[in-house]
Amino acid sequence: DTEVTQTPKHLVMGMTNKKSLKCEQHMGHRAMYWYKQKAKKPPELMFVYSYEKLSINESVPSRFSPECPNSSLLNLHLHALQPEDSALYLCASSRKVGLAGGNKETQYFGPGTRLLVL
Amino acid sequence: DQQVKQNSPSLSVQEGRISILNCDYTNSMFDYFLWYKKYPAEGPTFLISISSIKDKNEDGRFTVFLNKSAKHLSLHIVPSQPGDSAVYFCAASATVTSGTYKYIFGTGTRLKVLA
């Protein structure tokens, strides 16, 4: 099973609103990720959590605030967003795969939340 | 600076023929490579991967080839089926710290398989 779930599927918010995106996986994966994807562009890494600790922040503006309450759940809190933040927000988790040459990690993505900021 | 590049934005192939999608990378620290398939408004779906110590990995209709000296990988789909029509992303992974990995995605290639 490689299912990552994300809610909501779609979100419309104003620039003064506060909202949260939620991501869940019950596969025991130890790392979870947030990506942002604009149309016709590749996913861009925002944050990485490893064992519930923030290990990578790709210089993301503070209006995006990640939270990892437990090993299965990852949130992204949104506040005072700009219209240019409208995008598909993807969550992923990863598991180790034993390969010749050492352990590697394979990422599995959720379906994404389509965010529109007005 | 795009560390992972897919130079063909689109590719059309006849059903039953081979589809070859290419990917180039610049960072020699990448040691694990993955291919994902993406339909519109959905998350990427993992297809196949390869470690940097291998030069080929096969899974059913999908084969990934890695040429480390050229910093080039390719995904072969044989035979191509209309359901394979999607955007394909290659991704490269590097270890950031012990136990933390970073993934960089290419720009994607839109594959259209014609019936």
PDB file of all heavy atoms in Angstrom, chain B residues 60-80:
ATOM      1  N   GLY B  60       8.374  -4.793 -15.965  1.00  0.00           N
ATOM      2  CA  GLY B  60       7.296  -4.949 -16.945  1.00  0.00           C
ATOM      3  C   GLY B  60       7.620  -4.224 -18.236  1.00  0.00           C
ATOM      4  O   GLY B  60       8.662  -4.427 -18.847  1.00  0.00           O
ATOM      5  N   ARG B  61       6.739  -3.330 -18.642  1.00  0.00           N
ATOM      6  CA  ARG B  61       6.940  -2.591 -19.887  1.00  0.00           C
ATOM      7  C   ARG B  61       7.922  -1.425 -19.742  1.00  0.00           C
ATOM      8  O   ARG B  61       8.264  -0.790 -20.732  1.00  0.00           O
ATOM      9  CB  ARG B  61       5.588  -2.041 -20.374  1.00  0.00           C
ATOM     10  CG  ARG B  61       4.575  -3.105 -20.768  1.00  0.00           C
ATOM     11  CD  ARG B  61       3.315  -2.484 -21.385  1.00  0.00           C
ATOM     12  NE  ARG B  61       2.614  -1.607 -20.475  1.00  0.00           N
ATOM     13  CZ  ARG B  61       2.455  -0.303 -20.687  1.00  0.00           C
ATOM     14  NH1 ARG B  61       2.939   0.277 -21.770  1.00  0.00           N
ATOM     15  NH2 ARG B  61       1.790   0.439 -19.809  1.00  0.00           N
ATOM     16  N   PHE B  62       8.345  -1.145 -18.533  1.00  0.00           N
ATOM     17  CA  PHE B  62       9.171   0.021 -18.259  1.00  0.00           C
ATOM     18  C   PHE B  62      10.617  -0.401 -17.964  1.00  0.00           C
ATOM     19  O   PHE B  62      10.855  -1.299 -17.160  1.00  0.00           O
ATOM     20  CB  PHE B  62       8.620   0.802 -17.059  1.00  0.00           C
ATOM     21  CG  PHE B  62       7.210   1.276 -17.243  1.00  0.00           C
ATOM     22  CD1 PHE B  62       6.139   0.511 -16.785  1.00  0.00           C
ATOM     23  CD2 PHE B  62       6.940   2.471 -17.884  1.00  0.00           C
ATOM     24  CE1 PHE B  62       4.833   0.940 -16.965  1.00  0.00           C
ATOM     25  CE2 PHE B  62       5.632   2.905 -18.068  1.00  0.00           C
ATOM     26  CZ  PHE B  62       4.580   2.137 -17.611  1.00  0.00           C
ATOM     27  N   THR B  63      11.551   0.259 -18.641  1.00  0.00           N
ATOM     28  CA  THR B  63      12.974   0.040 -18.392  1.00  0.00           C
ATOM     29  C   THR B  63      13.645   1.396 -18.264  1.00  0.00           C
ATOM     30  O   THR B  63      13.398   2.291 -19.086  1.00  0.00           O
ATOM     31  CB  THR B  63      13.627  -0.745 -19.542  1.00  0.00           C
ATOM     32  OG1 THR B  63      12.941  -1.987 -19.723  1.00  0.00           O
ATOM     33  CG2 THR B  63      15.097  -1.037 -19.230  1.00  0.00           C
ATOM     34  N   VAL B  64      14.467   1.541 -17.243  1.00  0.00           N
ATOM     35  CA  VAL B  64      15.226   2.774 -17.092  1.00  0.00           C
ATOM     36  C   VAL B  64      16.699   2.441 -17.301  1.00  0.00           C
ATOM     37  O   VAL B  64      17.201   1.444 -16.787  1.00  0.00           O
ATOM     38  CB  VAL B  64      14.970   3.458 -15.728  1.00  0.00           C
ATOM     39  CG1 VAL B  64      15.244   2.540 -14.558  1.00  0.00           C
ATOM     40  CG2 VAL B  64      15.788   4.733 -15.597  1.00  0.00           C
ATOM     41  N   PHE B  65      17.358   3.271 -18.085  1.00  0.00           N
ATOM     42  CA  PHE B  65      18.784   3.137 -18.370  1.00  0.00           C
ATOM     43  C   PHE B  65      19.507   4.342 -17.786  1.00  0.00           C
ATOM     44  O   PHE B  65      19.033   5.474 -17.902  1.00  0.00           O
ATOM     45  CB  PHE B  65      19.043   3.086 -19.883  1.00  0.00           C
ATOM     46  CG  PHE B  65      18.463   1.891 -20.568  1.00  0.00           C
ATOM     47  CD1 PHE B  65      17.189   1.941 -21.109  1.00  0.00           C
ATOM     48  CD2 PHE B  65      19.188   0.708 -20.663  1.00  0.00           C
ATOM     49  CE1 PHE B  65      16.637   0.826 -21.753  1.00  0.00           C
ATOM     50  CE2 PHE B  65      18.650  -0.407 -21.307  1.00  0.00           C
ATOM     51  CZ  PHE B  65      17.376  -0.339 -21.849  1.00  0.00           C
ATOM     52  N   LEU B  66      20.669   4.080 -17.187  1.00  0.00           N
ATOM     53  CA  LEU B  66      21.464   5.166 -16.619  1.00  0.00           C
ATOM     54  C   LEU B  66      22.867   5.140 -17.202  1.00  0.00           C
ATOM     55  O   LEU B  66      23.533   4.101 -17.185  1.00  0.00           O
ATOM     56  CB  LEU B  66      21.541   5.030 -15.091  1.00  0.00           C
ATOM     57  CG  LEU B  66      22.427   6.031 -14.367  1.00  0.00           C
ATOM     58  CD1 LEU B  66      21.907   7.459 -14.556  1.00  0.00           C
ATOM     59  CD2 LEU B  66      22.519   5.701 -12.870  1.00  0.00           C
ATOM     60  N   ASN B  67      23.296   6.271 -17.730  1.00  0.00           N
ATOM     61  CA  ASN B  67      24.673   6.438 -18.220  1.00  0.00           C
ATOM     62  C   ASN B  67      25.324   7.493 -17.327  1.00  0.00           C
ATOM     63  O   ASN B  67      25.145   8.696 -17.521  1.00  0.00           O
ATOM     64  CB  ASN B  67      24.657   6.886 -19.682  1.00  0.00           C
ATOM     65  CG  ASN B  67      26.047   7.025 -20.262  1.00  0.00           C
ATOM     66  OD1 ASN B  67      27.019   7.283 -19.555  1.00  0.00           O
ATOM     67  ND2 ASN B  67      26.149   6.862 -21.562  1.00  0.00           N
ATOM     68  N   LYS B  68      26.051   7.009 -16.321  1.00  0.00           N
ATOM     69  CA  LYS B  68      26.617   7.930 -15.328  1.00  0.00           C
ATOM     70  C   LYS B  68      27.644   8.863 -15.924  1.00  0.00           C
ATOM     71  O   LYS B  68      27.726  10.033 -15.556  1.00  0.00           O
ATOM     72  CB  LYS B  68      27.242   7.135 -14.178  1.00  0.00           C
ATOM     73  CG  LYS B  68      26.382   7.051 -12.949  1.00  0.00           C
ATOM     74  CD  LYS B  68      27.082   6.365 -11.830  1.00  0.00           C
ATOM     75  CE  LYS B  68      28.019   7.288 -11.056  1.00  0.00           C
ATOM     76  NZ  LYS B  68      28.581   6.614  -9.873  1.00  0.00           N
ATOM     77  N   SER B  69      28.454   8.359 -16.836  1.00  0.00           N
ATOM     78  CA  SER B  69      29.512   9.203 -17.395  1.00  0.00           C
ATOM     79  C   SER B  69      28.905  10.356 -18.194  1.00  0.00           C
ATOM     80  O   SER B  69      29.439  11.466 -18.220  1.00  0.00           O
ATOM     81  CB  SER B  69      30.462   8.387 -18.255  1.00  0.00           C
ATOM     82  OG  SER B  69      29.760   7.769 -19.305  1.00  0.00           O
ATOM     83  N   ALA B  70      27.775  10.104 -18.822  1.00  0.00           N
ATOM     84  CA  ALA B  70      27.102  11.150 -19.600  1.00  0.00           C
ATOM     85  C   ALA B  70      26.098  11.927 -18.763  1.00  0.00           C
ATOM     86  O   ALA B  70      25.499  12.895 -19.245  1.00  0.00           O
ATOM     87  CB  ALA B  70      26.393  10.532 -20.806  1.00  0.00           C
ATOM     88  N   LYS B  71      25.882  11.492 -17.522  1.00  0.00           N
ATOM     89  CA  LYS B  71      24.864  12.086 -16.642  1.00  0.00           C
ATOM     90  C   LYS B  71      23.513  12.126 -17.376  1.00  0.00           C
ATOM     91  O   LYS B  71      22.861  13.176 -17.488  1.00  0.00           O
ATOM     92  CB  LYS B  71      25.268  13.478 -16.177  1.00  0.00           C
ATOM     93  CG  LYS B  71      26.502  13.499 -15.280  1.00  0.00           C
ATOM     94  CD  LYS B  71      26.665  14.865 -14.618  1.00  0.00           C
ATOM     95  CE  LYS B  71      27.795  14.888 -13.617  1.00  0.00           C
ATOM     96  NZ  LYS B  71      29.117  14.782 -14.248  1.00  0.00           N
ATOM     97  N   HIS B  72      23.118  10.966 -17.836  1.00  0.00           N
ATOM     98  CA  HIS B  72      21.930  10.853 -18.668  1.00  0.00           C
ATOM     99  C   HIS B  72      21.159   9.601 -18.275  1.00  0.00           C
ATOM    100  O   HIS B  72      21.740   8.534 -18.045  1.00  0.00           O
ATOM    101  CB  HIS B  72      22.330  10.765 -20.151  1.00  0.00           C
ATOM    102  CG  HIS B  72      21.184  10.554 -21.078  1.00  0.00           C
ATOM    103  ND1 HIS B  72      20.412  11.593 -21.551  1.00  0.00           N
ATOM    104  CD2 HIS B  72      20.673   9.422 -21.625  1.00  0.00           C
ATOM    105  CE1 HIS B  72      19.469  11.117 -22.335  1.00  0.00           C
ATOM    106  NE2 HIS B  72      19.609   9.803 -22.409  1.00  0.00           N
ATOM    107  N   LEU B  73      19.836   9.742 -18.177  1.00  0.00           N
ATOM    108  CA  LEU B  73      19.008   8.551 -18.017  1.00  0.00           C
ATOM    109  C   LEU B  73      17.839   8.612 -18.981  1.00  0.00           C
ATOM    110  O   LEU B  73      17.483   9.692 -19.482  1.00  0.00           O
ATOM    111  CB  LEU B  73      18.529   8.356 -16.575  1.00  0.00           C
ATOM    112  CG  LEU B  73      17.650   9.376 -15.882  1.00  0.00           C
ATOM    113  CD1 LEU B  73      16.818   8.694 -14.820  1.00  0.00           C
ATOM    114  CD2 LEU B  73      18.513  10.419 -15.205  1.00  0.00           C
ATOM    115  N   SER B  74      17.304   7.435 -19.260  1.00  0.00           N
ATOM    116  CA  SER B  74      16.172   7.382 -20.171  1.00  0.00           C
ATOM    117  C   SER B  74      15.182   6.333 -19.673  1.00  0.00           C
ATOM    118  O   SER B  74      15.551   5.379 -19.001  1.00  0.00           O
ATOM    119  CB  SER B  74      16.616   7.064 -21.596  1.00  0.00           C
ATOM    120  OG  SER B  74      17.262   5.813 -21.652  1.00  0.00           O
ATOM    121  N   LEU B  75      13.935   6.570 -20.013  1.00  0.00           N
ATOM    122  CA  LEU B  75      12.843   5.644 -19.693  1.00  0.00           C
ATOM    123  C   LEU B  75      12.303   5.103 -21.010  1.00  0.00           C
ATOM    124  O   LEU B  75      11.932   5.887 -21.888  1.00  0.00           O
ATOM    125  CB  LEU B  75      11.740   6.366 -18.919  1.00  0.00           C
ATOM    126  CG  LEU B  75      10.475   5.558 -18.641  1.00  0.00           C
ATOM    127  CD1 LEU B  75      10.769   4.431 -17.651  1.00  0.00           C
ATOM    128  CD2 LEU B  75       9.353   6.453 -18.103  1.00  0.00           C
ATOM    129  N   HIS B  76      12.290   3.776 -21.125  1.00  0.00           N
ATOM    130  CA  HIS B  76      11.732   3.131 -22.308  1.00  0.00           C
ATOM    131  C   HIS B  76      10.419   2.471 -21.924  1.00  0.00           C
ATOM    132  O   HIS B  76      10.366   1.737 -20.920  1.00  0.00           O
ATOM    133  CB  HIS B  76      12.698   2.075 -22.851  1.00  0.00           C
ATOM    134  CG  HIS B  76      13.955   2.659 -23.418  1.00  0.00           C
ATOM    135  ND1 HIS B  76      14.640   2.066 -24.458  1.00  0.00           N
ATOM    136  CD2 HIS B  76      14.643   3.784 -23.115  1.00  0.00           C
ATOM    137  CE1 HIS B  76      15.698   2.788 -24.756  1.00  0.00           C
ATOM    138  NE2 HIS B  76      15.735   3.837 -23.951  1.00  0.00           N
ATOM    139  N   ILE B  77       9.407   2.700 -22.736  1.00  0.00           N
ATOM    140  CA  ILE B  77       8.104   2.065 -22.512  1.00  0.00           C
ATOM    141  C   ILE B  77       7.797   1.242 -23.759  1.00  0.00           C
ATOM    142  O   ILE B  77       7.689   1.783 -24.863  1.00  0.00           O
ATOM    143  CB  ILE B  77       6.990   3.113 -22.300  1.00  0.00           C
ATOM    144  CG1 ILE B  77       7.360   4.083 -21.181  1.00  0.00           C
ATOM    145  CG2 ILE B  77       5.673   2.412 -21.960  1.00  0.00           C
ATOM    146  CD1 ILE B  77       6.377   5.245 -21.006  1.00  0.00           C
ATOM    147  N   VAL B  78       7.713  -0.069 -23.569  1.00  0.00           N
ATOM    148  CA  VAL B  78       7.454  -0.960 -24.698  1.00  0.00           C
ATOM    149  C   VAL B  78       6.488  -2.069 -24.281  1.00  0.00           C
ATOM    150  O   VAL B  78       6.781  -2.761 -23.306  1.00  0.00           O
ATOM    151  CB  VAL B  78       8.765  -1.628 -25.199  1.00  0.00           C
ATOM    152  CG1 VAL B  78       8.494  -2.540 -26.382  1.00  0.00           C
ATOM    153  CG2 VAL B  78       9.801  -0.596 -25.561  1.00  0.00           C
ATOM    154  N   PRO B  79       5.379  -2.319 -24.993  1.00  0.00           N
ATOM    155  CA  PRO B  79       4.861  -1.438 -26.043  1.00  0.00           C
ATOM    156  C   PRO B  79       4.082  -0.292 -25.429  1.00  0.00           C
ATOM    157  O   PRO B  79       3.506  -0.414 -24.358  1.00  0.00           O
ATOM    158  CB  PRO B  79       3.913  -2.387 -26.798  1.00  0.00           C
ATOM    159  CG  PRO B  79       3.426  -3.345 -25.745  1.00  0.00           C
ATOM    160  CD  PRO B  79       4.560  -3.509 -24.762  1.00  0.00           C
ATOM    161  N   SER B  80       4.049   0.830 -26.096  1.00  0.00           N
ATOM    162  CA  SER B  80       3.313   1.996 -25.593  1.00  0.00           C
ATOM    163  C   SER B  80       1.814   1.753 -25.757  1.00  0.00           C
ATOM    164  O   SER B  80       1.361   1.173 -26.755  1.00  0.00           O
ATOM    165  CB  SER B  80       3.709   3.250 -26.366  1.00  0.00           C
ATOM    166  OG  SER B  80       5.094   3.478 -26.237  1.00  0.00           O
TER     167      SER B  80
END
